[in-house]
Amino acid sequence: AIFARAPGGQLLAPGTRALSARGLGYLGSGCIVLGEVQKGEEILRLGVHFFFNDPAATEIYARLGESMVRSERHGEAIGPLRRAMNLGADGARIWPLLARALTERGRFMAAYGAVLEARAAGAEGPTLDASVERIRRGLGPGFDSWQSLVGGN
């Protein structure tokens, strides 16, 4: 990360920059798995900071958002998860996480949009079902009419 900040690091070939970004992603994820969540997320933030425009940053954003969802920091997770999707992350992996984060923050309409995107990307399962149920409770009786209007189950 320090080298990436230096002038020589800015001149690295795209493949080398991508390898460096992946390395920071793996290091940050490893720290998180070992229980050092704060340290791991800080490493992921460094990766995002230095490689934010590189295609390899997609995975760093995804890992950062995923860690935040697991830590019940749903509001913080929304930004990195959206950025991961904007950079072309796997929708079947990220949309359900984004739906959960939005649902937990009470942003039910956006959450339902994320559920629809997740299903379109091929995601299914109890996580999405739980999000839909929470959205249903949050929006109340009008949800069923609205759901039939926009589609989805």
Side-chain angles (χ1 to χ4, degrees):
I2 292 169
F3 180 67
R5 184 184 300 176
Q10 298 298 314
L11 300 174
L12 289 174
T16 305
R17 287 183 59 82
L19 183 62
S20 297
R22 278 194 302 276
L24 283 175
Y26 291 140
L27 178 61
S29 294
C31 288
I32 291 166
V33 167
L34 293 173
E36 296 191 39
V37 175
Q38 188 174 10
K39 179 189 268 184
E41 287 183 2
E42 187 58 34
I43 291 168
L44 293 174
R45 283 186 185 94
L46 279 172
V48 163
H49 180 74
F50 295 117
F51 301 106
F52 68 94
N53 279 333
D54 286 9
T58 303
E59 185 61 25
I60 296 174
Y61 280 109
R63 289 170 190 248
L64 182 59
E66 189 172 27
S67 174
M68 291 173 172
V69 168
R70 272 194 252 118
S71 298
E72 303 288 323
R73 295 182 356 255
H74 302 289
E76 290 178 71
I78 293 169
L81 292 172
R82 280 187 171 163
R83 183 74 173 139
M85 286 309 308
N86 287 337
L87 291 172
D90 175 22
R93 174 180 165 212
I94 302 303
W95 282 119
L97 292 169
L98 188 54
R100 178 177 172 199
L102 291 165
T103 300
E104 293 299 322
R105 295 297 295 169
R107 298 175 63 188
F108 300 118
M109 300 293 270
Y112 191 65
V115 166
L116 295 176
E117 291 287 351
R119 288 186 175 153
E124 291 295 331
T127 302
L128 281 180
D129 296 339
S131 290
V132 170
E133 188 52 41
R134 175 94 162 83
I135 293 165
R136 178 175 274 114
R137 285 193 315 266
L139 292 177
F143 174 73
D144 292 327
S145 299
W146 183 75
Q147 185 181 28
S148 66
L149 179 68
V150 298
N153 298 334

